[in-house]
C-alpha cells in the first residue's frame, strides 16, 4: 500500500474556513518514535516494541497533523491525494499510533522524556583470554563496578572444570550473567553439560568453535543455550550489522538516541591485558596487570566514544534504522574522523545503503576492500 | 542511614536499592522474617535481629514499602508481672515505631492500608469527582448494567478459599439482579470511560499515566478497528492543575506522602476511584520513562 512515494499533490487553492463544522485533530501517542532516513522513515512503537518502515511522505503528513486539524490538512490536497491522505490517517488509527479528538488536540497527553537513565557505571565487560581463568583483582573490580554482564572469548579449549570454576569465581558478586565463547574439546560430553548445568549459576550462553561433531543439541529446559560451529572463530567475528539483530525496546532506543549503542558503558580487555572500549579496538587505556578498571575509568579517556550517537556517524546519520541498529566502532570503513580525531565512519560490516535502500553483502563491496584489507579479514569472511 | 521495611524479593524494593547503591547512600533492608530486640548501648537505643543491628538515632530516613517491623516480646512466669511487662514493652515498641515514623519517611507502617470507604468520603470533601456509590445488602437500588460491585477490603485475594485455591475478587458489572440478601456490599455507578489514569504521588509531585485499552471505545477516542491481542498503551499524561491540587489535599488529609491513585476520564471529568499506598508502579514508570525508582531513592 505504501510503495509509491510522493503521490501527494498539494492543491493550490485558498483555504476556506471551516469553523462551522467541528474540526477533528490527530493525536500521535508519545511513545511512537519516528526516525527519518534519506528515503524512508522507521516508525518505532516503543510501547509495543515493534518498528515498521514507511515512505517519507507519511513523515510530512504526521508533521502537518501536529500543527493542523485533519480537516484543514485534507483541504490542502487535490481530490485524488485526499483519498490517500485519508487512507494514511485510517492506517495510523488502525495501528493505534494515535487517536482523534474534536475541537483541539488533547493537550494533557504529555511528551515522553527521551532521557536515558541507568544507574550502573558499567553495563558490560568483554574480555579475551588465552585460558579460561580470571584474577582476584579483576573479580574485585567487577564487583566494585557492579558489572552485571560478562562476555568472554577464550582462545583455547576450556575444560569442564575450568568452566565450573570460572562461573563459581563470581560467587558474592553482582554479576548476573555470562556468555562464554571457547574452542571445543571432545572431553566435553553430554554428561559434562549436565554437570555444568547443576554446578554453574551465571552462564546463560555457551558457544564452541572448532567443533567437528556436535555432542548435543541445546534443549529448552537448560539454563544456558549452546551453539557449536566447525569454524575457527576469532574476536573480529563480531560487529556484523543485521536486520535480524535490530530490536525495538525503549531502553535500547533511548540509549541509541543519547549514546553510542556499541560502546556506551562497556569495557573490554584484550588477551594481552590491554584495557579498551572493546577488545577488538586498537587503542588501549592501560593494562590490567598494572592498573585496575576503576583507575582507567577515573582517567576519563576511555569514555570518549560513549556519547557518539549515530547522528554523528557518516551514512548512518541518514539511515532510518539508526536508532534500532547496533553500532560497531572496532571495524569501520575508516573513511572519516571528526575534529577530535575520533572515527566517525560507518560500520564496516553493514551491507545497508540508506540512499538506495538496498542490502548487499558488505564483504563483497568494492568500496570496502581497502578497509577489509586493513583489518586483515579474508575476502570471504562476511559470507553466511 | 536509610531503613527500608519490605518483603523479601519485592521487586520495587530491589530496583530502588540499586539506585541507592549508585547514589552511595547507606541503607538497611528489613525482611519479613526478621524479629528485633530493643536494647541499649551507652544510652543509645539499638535494634538487633539475626541479620541486622543499628542504632535508632542512626536512622535518617524510613521507607515503608511492605510487611512490618516486628519485635520480640519477653514473657514472664508470674502472670501479674507478665501483664505489667507487656504494657512496658508495648510503650517501648510504640516509642520506637513513632520515632521511626517521625523521621523523614515515605509512607508509614501505621497508615499504609487505607480504608476505601473513608478515602471516598475524604475525596468528596476535597472536591474530587467520585462516581455515586452506596452500601447495600440487597439489589433493590441496583440498576442492571449500570452498577458495579467491588470488594470493600484492601486486598481482593481470599487465601485458601478452597483447598489449594485462593480466590480473587474483581470489580464487575451487575448484569442480573440477585433476589436474595447478602453481606453488606459496595456498589458504584458504572462510568463510561474514555480511558483510565493512574497517578503516582510522591511528596507533592504527581506522575500520571494514561492507560488506553481497546475497550475504551468512545466518541472522543476513536481507535477504529482493533485486535484483542494488542496490549494496553501506557503514555505520560498530565492531570489538570485543579485535579492535582485536590490530590495533594486528599493525600494530606490521609497523612500519606506516597501512593498510586486511580482515575477514570469520562468526557471532561476525572472520576477518582481509589488509592493504593503500596501498589506496584514500576511498569507505568518504565512505560513513561519517569524513573520513579530514582525519584524515591533521591528523596530518601
Ligand atoms: S547504515 Fe547500517 S550500520 Fe548505519 S544505522 Fe543503517 S543499518 Fe545501521
Amino acid at each position: 500500500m505504501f510503495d509509491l512515494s510522493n503521490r501527494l499533490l498539494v492543491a493550490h487553492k485558498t483555504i476556506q474556513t471551516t469553523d462551522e463544522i467541528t474540526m477533528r485533530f490527530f493525536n500521535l501517542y508519545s511513545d511512537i518514535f519516528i526516525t527519518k532516513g534519506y528515503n524512508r522513515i522507521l516508525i518505532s512503537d516503543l510501547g509495543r516494541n515493534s518498528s515498521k518502515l514507511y515512505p517519507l511522505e507519511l513523515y510530512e503528513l504526521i508533521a502537518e497533523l501536529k500543527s493542523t486539524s485533519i480537516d484543514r490538512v485534507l483541504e490542502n490536497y487535490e481530490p485524488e491525494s485526499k483519498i490517500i491522505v485519508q487512507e494514511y490517517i485510517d492506517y495510523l488509527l488502525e495501528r493505534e499510533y494515535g487517536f482523534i479528538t474534536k475541537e483541539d488536540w488533547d493537550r494533557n497527553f504529555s511528551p515522553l522524556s527521551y532521557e536515558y537513565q541507568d544507574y550502573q557505571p558499567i553495563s558490560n565487560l568483554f574480555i579475551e583470554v588465552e585460558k579460561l581463568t580470571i584474577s582476584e583483582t579483576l573479580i574485585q573490580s567487577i564487583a566494585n563496578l557492579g558489572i552485571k554482564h560478562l562476555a568472554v572469548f577464550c582462545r583455547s579449549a576450556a575444560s569442564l572444570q575450568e568452566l565450573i570454576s570460572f562461573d563459581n569465581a563470581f560467587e558474592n558478586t553482582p554479576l548476573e550473567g555470562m556468555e562464554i565463547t571457547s574452542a571445543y574439546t571432545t572431553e566435553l560430553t553430554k554428561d559434562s553439560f549436565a554437570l555444568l548445568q547443576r554446578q554453574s549459576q551465571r552462564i546463560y550462553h555457551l558457544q564452541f568453535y572448532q567443533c567437528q561433531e556436535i555432542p548435543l543439541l541445546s534443549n529448552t529446559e537448560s539454563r544456558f543455550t549452546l551453539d557449536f560451529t566447525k569454524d575457527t572463530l576469532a574476536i573480529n567475528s563480531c560487529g556484523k550489522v543485521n536486520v535480524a539483530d535490530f530490536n525495538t525496546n525503549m531502553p535500547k532506543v533511548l540509549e541509541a538516541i543519547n549514546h553510542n549503542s556499541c560502546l556506551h558503558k562497556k569495557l573490554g580487555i584484550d588477551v594481552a591485558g590491554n584495557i579498551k572500549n572493546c577488545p577488538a579496538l586498537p587503542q588501549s587505556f592501560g593494562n590490567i596487570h598494572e592498573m585496575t578498571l576503576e583507575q582507567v575509568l577515573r582517567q576519563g579517556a576511555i569514555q570518549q566514544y560513549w556519547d557518539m550517537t549515530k547522528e554523528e556517524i557518516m551514512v548512518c546519520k541518514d539511515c532510518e534504522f539508526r536508532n534500532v541498529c547496533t553500532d560497531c566502532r572496532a571495524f569501520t570503513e575508516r573513511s572519516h574522523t571528526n575534529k577530535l580525531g575520533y572515527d566517525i565512519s560507518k560500520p564496516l560490516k553493514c551491507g545497508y545503503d540508506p540512499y538506495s535502500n538496498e542490502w548487499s553483502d558488505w564483504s563483497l563491496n568494492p568500496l570496502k576492500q581497502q578497509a577489509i584489507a586493513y583489518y586483515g579479514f579474508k575476502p570471504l569472511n562476511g559470507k553466511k | 542511614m536509610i531503613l527500608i521495611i519490605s518483603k523479601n524479593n519485592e521487586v520495587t524494593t530491589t530496583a530502588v536499592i540499586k539506585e541507592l547503591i549508585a547514589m552511595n547512600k547507606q541503607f538497611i533492608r528489613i525482611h519479613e522474617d526478621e524479629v528485633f530486640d530493643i536494647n541499649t548501648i551507652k544510652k543509645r537505643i539499638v535494634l538487633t535481629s539475626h541479620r541486622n543491628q543499628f542504632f535508632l538515632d542512626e536512622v535518617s530516613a524510613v521507607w515503608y514499602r511492605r510487611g512490618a517491623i516486628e519485635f520480640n516480646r519477653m514473657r514472664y512466669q508470674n502472670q501479674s508481672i507478665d501483664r505489667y511487662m507487656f504494657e512496658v514493652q508495648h510503650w517501648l515498641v510504640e516509642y520506637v515505631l513513632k520515632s521511626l515514623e517521625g523521621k523523614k519517611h515515605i509512607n508509614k507502617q501505621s497508615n499504609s492500608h487505607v480504608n476505601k470507604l473513608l478515602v471516598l468520603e475524604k475525596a468528596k470533601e476535597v472536591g474530587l469527582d467520585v462516581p455515586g456509590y452506596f452500601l447495600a445488602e440487597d439489589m433493590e437500588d441496583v440498576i442492571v448494567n449500570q452498577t458495579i460491585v467491588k470488594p470493600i477490603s484492601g486486598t481482593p485475594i481470599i487465601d485458601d478459599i478452597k483447598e489449594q485455591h485462593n480466590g480473587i475478587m474483581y470489580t464487575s458489572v451487575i448484569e442480573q439482579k440477585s433476589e436474595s440478601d447478602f453481606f453488606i456490599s459496595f456498589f458504584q455507578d458504572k462510568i463510561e470511560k474514555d480511558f483510565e489514569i493512574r497517578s503516582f504521588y510522591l511528596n507533592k509531585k504527581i506522575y500520571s499515566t494514561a492507560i488506553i485499552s481497546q475497550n475504551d471505545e468512545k466518541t472522543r477516542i476513536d481507535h477504529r478497528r482493533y485486535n484483542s491481542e494488542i496490549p494496553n498503551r501506557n503514555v505520560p499524561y498530565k492531570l489538570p492543575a485543579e485535579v492535582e491540587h485536590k490530590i495533594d489535599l486528599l493525600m494530606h488529609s490521609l497523612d500519606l506522602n506516597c501512593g498510586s491513585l486511580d482515575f477514570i476520564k469520562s468526557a471532561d471529568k476525572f472520576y477518582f476511584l481509589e488509592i493504593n499506598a503500596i501498589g506496584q508502579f514500576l511498569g507505568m514508570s518504565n512505560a513513561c520513562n519517569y524513573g520513579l525508582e530514582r525519584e524515591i531513592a533521591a528523596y530518601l
Side-chain angles (χ1 to χ4, degrees):
Chain A
M1 159 178 184
F2 297 121
D3 41 4
L4 295 171
S5 276
N6 304 319
R7 294 167 301 174
L8 302 183
L9 303 171
V10 178
H12 296 286
K13 62 181 178 190
T14 40
I15 296 163
Q16 295 144 12
T17 36
T18 39
D19 284 345
E20 304 90 297
I21 58 162
T22 328
M23 300 239 242
R24 296 167 305 145
F25 293 81
F26 182 76
N27 300 255
L28 187 73
Y29 283 121
S30 57
D31 57 354
I32 303 301
F33 186 80
I34 306 178
T35 306
K36 187 180 178 220
Y38 190 78
N39 292 319
R40 305 189 286 189
I41 60 171
L42 188 78
I43 297 191
S44 299
D45 185 335
L46 302 181
R48 291 174 183 167
N49 297 342
S50 64
S51 289
K52 264 176 96 74
L53 286 163
Y54 297 96
L56 215 48
E57 62 183 19
L58 184 58
Y59 187 82
E60 318 294 338
L61 178 62
I62 292 174
E64 265 183 276
L65 289 168
K66 278 187 183 160
S67 59
T68 318
S69 74
I70 295 175
D71 309 276
R72 285 262 162 82
V73 168
L74 284 170
E75 278 173 14
N76 279 354
Y77 291 96
E78 294 288 4
E80 318 89 81
S81 299
K82 228 178 226 155
I83 299 170
I84 300 169
V85 170
Q86 190 58 57
E87 265 174 25
Y88 271 137
I89 294 173
D90 287 347
Y91 187 78
L92 292 171
L93 294 170
E94 195 177 305
R95 297 286 307 178
E96 298 186 1
Y97 288 156
F99 58 96
I100 289 178
T101 49
K102 299 214 173 83
E103 289 162 31
D104 193 2
W105 289 274
D106 188 335
R107 296 179 191 272
N108 289 98
F109 279 83
S110 28
L112 181 73
S113 154
Y114 294 140
E115 206 179 319
Y116 178 74
Q117 297 164 330
D118 182 25
Y119 60 87
Q120 309 170 90
I122 294 295
S123 61
N124 276 282
L125 176 66
F126 186 7
I127 60 176
E128 184 187 24
V129 291
E130 195 58 56
K131 270 181 77 65
L132 194 64
T133 54
I134 189 158
S135 73
E136 272 306 318
T137 19
L138 186 51
I139 294 176
Q140 194 51 50
S141 290
I142 289 173
N144 291 345
L145 294 169
I147 296 174
K148 289 205 297 198
H149 289 98
L150 178 67
V152 187
F153 185 90
C154 178
R155 302 194 351 158
S156 61
S159 68
L160 173 64
Q161 199 43 55
E162 282 172 330
L163 287 164
I164 295 175
S165 313
F166 195 84
D167 182 288
N168 295 346
F170 291 92
E171 198 91 37
N172 302 321
T173 72
L175 192 82
E176 285 171 6
M178 59 168 80
E179 45 185 327
I180 300 175
T181 303
S182 161
Y184 178 69
T185 155
T186 46
E187 276 169 35
L188 293 177
T189 59
K190 215 174 156 183
D191 293 343
S192 333
F193 287 110
L195 195 65
L196 181 61
Q197 164 86 2
R198 285 197 298 277
Q199 303 208 352
S200 64
Q201 269 151 52
R202 294 158 197 89
I203 298 172
Y204 65 88
H205 182 66
L206 281 171
Q207 186 180 27
F208 292 97
Y209 59 92
Q210 289 171 337
C211 169
Q212 297 313 316
E213 207 170 315
I214 295 176
L216 78 164
L217 294 174
S218 200
N219 81 45
T220 45
E221 263 132 67
S222 166
R223 212 199 45 256
F224 45 76
T225 49
L226 281 167
D227 273 321
F228 299 91
T229 169
K230 285 196 175 123
D231 301 343
T232 301
L233 295 184
I235 205 142
N236 63 11
S237 313
C238 173
K240 287 191 194 114
V241 174
N242 279 319
V243 181
D245 301 329
F246 294 172
N247 58 37
T248 306
N249 71 63
M250 181 125 60
K252 275 278 148 216
V253 173
L254 295 183
E255 188 174 29
I257 295 172
N258 294 285
H259 303 284
N260 187 277
S261 46
C262 166
L263 299 179
H264 182 232
K265 295 198 175 184
K266 298 199 179 64
L267 287 180
I269 304 173
D270 74 7
V271 71
N274 295 311
I275 303 169
K276 302 169 165 184
N277 276 143
C278 156
L281 274 162
Q283 193 178 1
S284 167
F285 298 89
N287 195 291
I288 196 71
H289 304 303
E290 292 149 16
M291 293 176 90
T292 63
L293 293 181
E294 295 95 307
Q295 285 168 328
V296 169
L297 282 168
R298 269 196 300 273
Q299 287 174 352
I302 202 162
Q303 291 90 340
Q304 62 186 22
Y305 280 108
W306 285 13
D307 294 337
M308 181 186 287
T309 66
K310 281 266 164 75
E311 304 292 330
E312 228 188 298
I313 295 170
M314 300 309 289
V315 185
C316 298
K317 64 184 181 192
D318 292 322
C319 177
E320 58 276 22
F321 294 116
R322 64 186 179 275
N323 292 313
V324 293
C325 173
T326 48
D327 186 30
C328 173
R329 288 297 92 207
F331 308 113
T332 72
E333 293 186 349
R334 299 179 44 79
S335 52
H336 295 80
T337 49
N338 69 6
K339 285 194 209 97
L340 298 167
Y342 301 154
D343 186 356
I344 51 164
S345 328
K346 182 189 169 190
L348 178 67
K349 301 184 191 181
C350 166
Y352 183 64
D353 179 351
Y355 307 107
S356 67
N357 305 121
E358 273 166 20
W359 288 89
S360 54
D361 188 338
W362 64 272
S363 66
L364 303 178
N365 186 331
L367 299 174
K368 293 185 186 242
Q369 292 313 316
Q370 213 178 339
I372 291 174
Y374 171 85
Y375 293 113
F377 293 128
K378 295 201 192 72
L380 289 177
N381 217 355
K383 274 219 159 157
K384 286 181 200 110
Chain B
M1 192 267 293
I2 298 158
L3 188 70
I4 301 171
I5 303 167
S6 185
K7 293 203 167 179
N8 308 358
N9 300 325
E10 202 274 317
V11 287
T12 308
T13 313
T14 310
V16 171
I17 282 178
K18 285 178 180 164
E19 300 290 341
L20 288 173
I21 294 171
M23 293 174 190
N24 261 321
K25 290 187 171 185
Q26 300 295 313
F27 65 89
I28 287 180
R29 176 180 187 163
I30 296 182
H31 286 219
E32 55 204 342
D33 48 7
E34 256 176 283
V35 185
F36 284 87
D37 284 324
I38 305 173
N39 298 100
T40 56
I41 297 178
K42 294 206 172 120
K43 300 185 189 161
R44 294 167 77 191
I45 291 185
V46 63
L47 306 181
T48 314
S49 76
H50 68 285
R51 291 179 65 246
N52 285 310
Q53 183 172 50
F54 58 90
F55 287 107
L56 186 58
D57 58 21
E58 263 184 294
V59 178
S60 56
V62 182
W63 180 29
Y64 173 75
R65 173 68 188 143
R66 295 275 173 94
I69 176 166
E70 304 273 3
F71 297 94
N72 262 326
R73 284 202 199 262
M74 305 276 258
R75 302 304 303 263
Y76 297 83
Q77 294 233 299
N78 180 317
Q79 287 215 349
S80 308
I81 293 192
D82 191 51
R83 262 197 307 276
Y84 178 75
M85 287 309 290
F86 182 87
E87 198 186 325
V88 169
Q89 294 181 70
H90 166 80
W91 293 115
L92 198 55
V93 165
E94 183 178 88
Y95 171 69
V96 169
L97 286 177
K98 286 260 159 74
S99 309
L100 287 176
E101 296 194 343
K103 316 228 177 202
K104 181 177 187 180
H105 63 266
I106 293 181
N107 287 351
K108 300 180 189 176
Q109 184 169 320
S110 58
N111 69 355
S112 67
H113 293 278
V114 291
N115 183 321
K116 274 190 191 175
L117 300 170
L118 283 176
V119 167
L120 286 175
E121 278 175 20
K122 297 254 188 207
K124 284 203 286 193
E125 273 169 34
V126 301
L128 284 168
D129 286 313
V130 173
Y133 65 93
F134 58 91
L135 294 168
E137 285 158 66
D138 58 51
M139 292 208 188
E140 217 187 289
D141 298 315
V142 166
I143 305 170
V144 171
N145 289 329
Q146 286 180 37
T147 310
I148 57 169
V149 61
K150 268 190 187 178
I152 295 176
S153 67
T155 133
I157 295 165
I158 310 173
D159 291 329
D160 302 321
I161 195 165
K162 280 195 288 188
E163 216 179 315
Q164 304 281 329
H165 281 52
N166 290 346
I168 180 154
M169 297 199 286
Y170 292 105
T171 300
S172 52
V173 179
I174 311 277
E175 289 167 341
Q176 204 181 353
K177 282 201 188 193
S178 146
E179 295 299 323
S180 54
D181 289 3
F182 36 78
F183 189 83
I184 184 163
S185 297
F186 179 87
F187 294 95
Q188 194 163 40
D189 297 347
K190 181 180 159 216
I191 305 289
E192 289 296 333
K193 64 180 174 187
D194 295 343
F195 50 86
E196 285 173 40
I197 295 158
R198 166 138 332 148
S199 298
F200 182 78
Y201 178 96
L202 174 63
N203 200 42
K204 291 187 167 297
K205 272 202 186 159
I206 297 170
Y207 308 81
S208 302
T209 306
I211 304 168
I212 323 274
S213 68
Q214 326 98 53
N215 303 329
D216 304 337
E217 292 299 304
K218 274 266 322 254
T219 39
R220 264 168 73 85
I221 297 280
D222 179 8
H223 271 319
R224 300 294 183 84
R225 273 178 272 163
Y226 45 86
N227 173 338
S228 61
E229 284 176 11
I230 295 179
N232 287 351
R233 190 178 287 289
N234 300 329
V235 285
Y237 193 81
K238 180 94 181 128
L239 285 168
E242 75 270 18
V243 178
E244 290 206 341
H245 176 64
K246 288 169 188 167
I247 290 177
D248 196 41
L249 293 176
L250 176 63
M251 294 301 273
H252 271 286
S253 73
L254 296 166
D255 193 20
L256 289 172
N257 68 349
C258 180
S260 299
L261 300 93
D262 287 343
F263 290 86
I264 282 178
K265 176 164 190 297
S266 182
D268 293 333
K269 284 200 154 136
F270 296 89
Y271 288 97
F272 167 78
L273 297 182
E274 60 182 42
I275 289 183
N276 188 346
I278 57 167
Q280 294 297 2
F281 51 81
L282 285 187
M284 301 289 157
S285 170
N286 292 341
C288 298
N289 198 21
Y290 282 148
L292 294 178
E293 61 275 39
R294 197 166 18 258
E295 297 295 326
I296 288 184
Y299 178 74
L300 286 170

